[in-house]
Amino acid sequence: MIDFLDLRAVNARYQDEIDAAAQRVLHSGRYILGEELASFEREFAAYIGVDHAVGVANGTDALALTVNALGFAAGDEIIVPGNTYIASVFAVTLNGCTPVLAEPDARTYNIDPRRIEEKITAKTKAIMAVHLYGLPAPMDEVCRIAETHGLKVIEDASHAHGAAFHGRMAGGLSDAAGFSLYPTKNLGALGDGGIITTDDGQLAGKLRALRNYGSEKRFEYTYPGRNTRLDELQAAMLRVKLAHLEEENQRRREIAQFYLYAIKNPSVVLPVVPEGSTHSWHQFVVRCENRNGLREYLEKNGVRTDVHYPVPPHRQPALESLKTASLPVTEKIADEVLSLPINPVLTDGQAREIADRINEWKGSF
Ligand SMILES: *Cc1c(COP(=O)(O)O)cnc(C)c1O
């Protein structure tokens, strides 16, 4: 059986470095807000090419804290793509703001810039662009629309560690970006983690306070904050993983290139990479009208796949108020997408096997 993602195998390659980093933290006696976090934040900011990075407990908090720090609250509307992971939407609702779902482009799966302006009202404050599956959203057009209407732009870069748009790294293309560092992401901790990147020093300062009870100075509380910090052990693990991110992304790109060249089945639509975009290939997502049929065939023939995501946010009981939203493109995508294995430990032979199984499938209902 070809696994979808074997995290044990991914991390085992760095066993010695991970052990050494863990020992360093255990013997430091400092477990929260210490040198490992400060170093990881510096290294990650340098990698993305921004002035500031602020580590937090997870990706949902990275986005929710950013919405909070930008000053948005009840009554404010934030535009979010309809086909994103539900956590992007929760980052909005956790602040009492109203998520307004916009349709994606059916070719790129990213927010469709032609479908943003119809969603802008007097209450709109920001656009959250999600670099879905690792392909940068069309940030030139998103930022142009935002500027015209006086809106902030936030990136959900949880799939896009190492992706780039016309030579600029995802995470440095807007007012502020939130990254998840969940174990399955391109840069994954050995537990939960998240980080925010921004060039705005004042915003970064506020975010540092908000993640630590709103405190700028010990026992002095400037904002009604929270406790959402990235701990020293995870920061140390992430420093090890960050040093290998480029080589891992390079391997993902090789596999993606191979799939794009080798998969030839008229029932299977391959992903597109627009000119000027560098994909991080967090997921390699194909489309197929009989998605479930293809998925079952692959499962029976030794290939495990996944679906990102089978039920869109507005169809979830948790977001009852959005259930009347009309999002036909989003719904069609949810019915047809299939994620193939793509990860740094997938071998050439396994990639060949996966392409062969897809090519031999007689796609019909
Ligand atoms: C993983 C993910 C998140 C949430 O991150 P957590 O670390 O699990 O809280 C947010 N948005 C997207 C697009 C994600 O894939």
Side-chain angles (χ1 to χ4, degrees):
M1 193 76 190
I2 301 175
D3 265 321
F4 185 71
L5 174 62
D6 180 356
L7 277 179
R8 194 205 54 79
V10 169
N11 291 320
R13 298 174 306 153
Y14 314 127
Q15 183 85 53
D16 292 348
E17 288 174 82
I18 285 173
D19 283 349
Q23 289 299 323
R24 204 165 65 223
V25 174
L26 289 176
H27 293 294
S28 74
R30 183 81 193 244
Y31 306 115
I32 298 285
L33 296 181
E35 274 309 307
E36 295 291 341
L37 177 61
S39 298
F40 175 60
E41 288 176 339
R42 257 193 320 272
E43 289 157 9
F44 193 72
Y47 175 68
I48 300 299
V50 293
D51 291 339
H52 308 279
V54 181
V56 294
N58 56 69
T60 308
D61 279 357
L63 293 164
L65 224 59
T66 299
V67 170
N68 182 354
L70 287 169
F72 305 139
D76 294 338
E77 293 179 358
I78 299 180
I79 295 171
V80 184
N83 61 324
T84 187
Y85 182 53
I86 198 166
S88 321
V89 185
F90 285 157
V92 174
T93 57
L94 279 165
N95 286 286
C97 302
T98 304
V100 176
L101 301 176
E103 286 274 53
D105 181 323
R107 285 178 67 247
T108 63
Y109 308 116
N110 273 325
I111 195 162
D112 186 341
R114 296 163 302 186
R115 306 294 303 272
I116 293 176
E117 269 173 327
E118 66 194 49
K119 299 293 180 188
I120 296 176
T121 73
K123 294 178 181 171
T124 309
K125 292 290 162 65
I127 303 168
M128 186 184 291
V130 183
H131 308 307
L132 204 71
Y133 310 141
L135 177 70
M139 295 304 287
D140 47 356
E141 290 168 276
V142 169
C143 291
R144 201 178 308 128
I145 294 165
E147 202 175 312
T148 304
H149 296 270
L151 311 177
K152 295 285 188 188
V153 179
I154 301 166
E155 291 159 82
D156 180 346
S158 297
H159 296 180
H161 321 72
F165 188 71
H166 296 279
R168 291 166 60 214
M169 299 285 276
L173 302 166
S174 64
D175 292 289
F179 289 82
S180 170
L181 304 168
Y182 183 76
T184 61
K185 305 291 160 90
N186 285 37
L187 178 60
L190 277 69
D192 273 313
I195 196 160
I196 304 153
T197 51
T198 182
D199 280 324
D200 181 338
Q202 217 171 341
L203 187 71
K206 190 171 179 185
L207 287 162
R208 285 182 202 288
L210 284 171
R211 74 173 170 188
N212 190 36
Y213 320 110
S215 172
E216 288 182 306
K217 231 167 143 191
R218 195 154 181 257
F219 296 136
E220 288 180 25
Y221 305 93
T222 316
Y223 311 102
R226 321 228 290 261
N227 174 1
T228 173
R229 300 171 298 220
L230 182 62
D231 68 68
E232 288 290 285
L233 197 53
Q234 292 310 329
M237 303 291 107
L238 286 159
R239 293 181 69 196
V240 171
K241 299 290 296 288
L242 179 59
H244 295 284
L245 177 59
E246 273 303 307
E247 76 203 35
E248 290 199 352
N249 279 349
Q250 198 44 45
R251 178 62 188 153
R252 289 173 186 271
R253 287 180 186 125
E254 275 172 26
I255 297 165
Q257 281 311 313
F258 173 76
Y259 282 156
L260 289 171
Y261 143 86
I263 297 175
K264 291 185 180 79
N265 184 319
S267 306
V268 175
V269 180
L270 295 168
V272 298
V273 184
E275 184 73 38
S277 290
T278 305
H279 207 306
S280 63
W281 297 109
H282 175 56
Q283 303 295 356
F284 190 96
V285 175
V286 300
R287 274 176 74 183
C288 178
E289 277 186 24
N290 182 10
R291 185 264 316 279
N292 294 342
L294 174 59
R295 190 174 189 199
E296 274 162 39
Y297 179 83
L298 292 174
E299 179 78 24
K300 271 195 208 113
N301 287 277
V303 178
R304 198 147 280 157
T305 59
D306 208 340
V307 174
H308 300 92
Y309 301 94
V311 181
H314 71 289
R315 293 287 182 206
Q316 298 284 354
L319 293 167
E320 184 78 20
S321 63
L322 298 177
K323 78 171 176 206
T324 52
S326 168
L327 297 162
V329 181
T330 293
E331 287 175 16
K332 187 170 165 63
I333 286 172
D335 287 340
E336 295 186 356
V337 287
L338 184 69
S339 304
L340 306 182
I342 188 163
N343 60 70
V345 296
L346 195 78
T347 66
D348 290 349
Q350 289 174 322
R352 173 86 260 169
E353 174 84 14
I354 291 164
D356 287 347
R357 296 291 81 78
I358 293 172
N359 291 345
E360 77 197 10
W361 180 63
K362 301 282 177 282
S364 60
F365 286 90

